[in-house]
Amino acid sequence: MKALLSSKPVLWFLFLFNLVVAVAAPFVVDGSQGLMTAVGMGVVSLGAGLSLLKGRGRPQGQAA
């Protein structure tokens, strides 16, 4: 499971999907639920983005 979650396509999906949901949530869901959804999705998106940046300097095929 770790190999799947750390693959570049999955990280890009997590980053972009969660970023879009984090931006749209306050406009779609009212009140504190929309705000907390935006914060939670933003944290996941930030984590995936940092993982993408962390893996940038590593040659392909090399484990972390």
Side-chain angles (χ1 to χ4, degrees):
M1 188 66 147
K2 185 178 180 180
L4 174 67
L5 287 176
S6 63
S7 69
K8 279 200 183 254
V10 172
L11 287 173
W12 274 109
F13 172 76
L14 286 171
F15 175 67
L16 294 173
F17 177 78
N18 287 303
L19 183 64
V20 168
V21 171
V23 169
F27 300 107
V28 176
V29 182
D30 288 333
S32 63
Q33 187 175 4
L35 183 63
M36 293 309 294
T37 301
V39 168
M41 293 297 213
V43 167
V44 173
S45 179
L46 194 64
L50 289 174
S51 293
L52 282 168
L53 288 176
K54 186 175 86 170
R56 234 174 56 175
R58 195 176 341 126
Q60 276 193 349
Q62 199 175 39

